[in-house]
């Protein structure tokens, strides 16, 4: 094998290796990495909740079930900005089964702080914020809204 061929293959390997490396947008409190964009075409529901919010407490089981289906990603963020052990305690107390992040996601998605809770942000597979919902929604409500958004948007948008 010539030096040029070896060098070319080495450079191509490095480009492929580095091309697959992307800093995650968020890190879940359990250490998992989360990106807004999804290579598998799954959309993302970002839920802003608080443990003192009755509507938030009611919505969490709906989000848990929606996530278990696997075709939609769900992440959460504590409106109060809790971190570390306090956040882990809230997650356990509320029986949250979806990833929860410690860093405020709103600047990353170019959204303002919610005026009421729970706040739900719907993000397409390209990482673009498409809709914001306030107040309680059922799993059925969220699924219908997602389907409506998915069918109204061209695949390349």
């Amino acid at each position: 094998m010539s030096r040029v061929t070896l060098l070319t293959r080495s450079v191509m390997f490095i480009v492929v290796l580095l091309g697959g490396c992307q800093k995650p947008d968020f890190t879940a409190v359990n250490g998992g990495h989360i990106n807004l964009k999804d290579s598998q075409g799954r959309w993302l529901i970002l839920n802003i909740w608080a443990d003192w919010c009755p509507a938030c407490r009611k919505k969490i089981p709906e989000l848990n079930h929606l996530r278990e289906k696997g075709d939609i990603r769900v992440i959460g963020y504590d409106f109060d900005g809790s971190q570390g052990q306090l956040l882990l305690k809230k997650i356990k107390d509320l029986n949250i089964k979806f990833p929860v992040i410690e860093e405020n996601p709103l600047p990353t998605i170019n959204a303002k702080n919610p005026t009421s809770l729970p706040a739900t942000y719907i993000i397409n597979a390209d990482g673009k914020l498409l809709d914001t919902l306030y107040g309680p929604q059922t799993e059925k409500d969220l699924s219908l809204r997602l389907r409506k958004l998915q069918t109204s948007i061209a695949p390349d948008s």
Side-chain angles (χ1 to χ4, degrees):
M1 188 178 303
S2 73
R3 284 186 168 176
V4 173
T5 303
L6 183 59
L7 180 61
T8 302
R9 286 185 178 176
S10 297
V11 168
M12 287 174 49
F13 175 75
I14 291 170
V15 168
V16 168
L17 184 66
L18 292 176
C21 296
Q22 176 184 351
K23 181 180 182 249
D25 294 312
F26 308 108
T27 301
V29 71
N30 69 356
H33 299 294
I34 300 164
N35 288 309
L36 293 175
K37 293 181 181 181
D38 185 66
S39 62
Q40 297 175 9
R42 295 175 300 165
W43 287 36
L44 174 70
I45 290 178
L46 166 63
N47 180 252
I48 309 290
W49 54 268
D51 61 341
W52 45 262
C53 166
C56 299
R57 289 176 168 271
K58 187 174 181 180
K59 188 173 184 175
I60 287 171
E62 303 280 339
L63 294 168
N64 284 340
H65 192 258
L66 192 62
R67 180 182 180 266
E68 287 170 5
K69 289 181 175 180
D71 54 342
I72 300 294
R73 299 176 301 143
V74 178
I75 63 171
Y77 174 71
D78 178 12
F79 178 78
D80 295 324
S82 301
Q83 296 189 358
Q85 291 302 313
L86 177 58
L87 181 57
L88 289 170
K89 181 180 181 334
K90 288 181 179 185
I91 292 168
K92 182 180 177 186
D93 291 347
L94 295 171
N95 195 31
I96 296 174
K97 296 181 181 176
F98 47 86
V100 176
I101 57 177
E102 291 181 306
E103 61 268 22
N104 185 344
L106 299 177
T108 304
I109 63 171
N110 296 317
K112 295 180 181 179
N113 283 330
T115 55
S116 64
L117 295 177
T120 304
Y121 301 87
I122 299 175
I123 300 164
N124 71 7
D126 294 327
K128 181 180 176 185
L129 174 64
L130 296 183
D131 201 3
T132 304
L133 308 170
Y134 296 104
Q137 289 95 33
T138 65
E139 176 188 349
K140 183 178 178 182
D141 296 335
L142 289 170
S143 294
L144 288 172
R145 184 66 188 140
L146 281 163
R147 261 186 260 133
K148 184 175 180 181
L149 286 168
Q150 289 168 334
T151 57
S152 68
I153 296 174
D156 61 342
S157 64

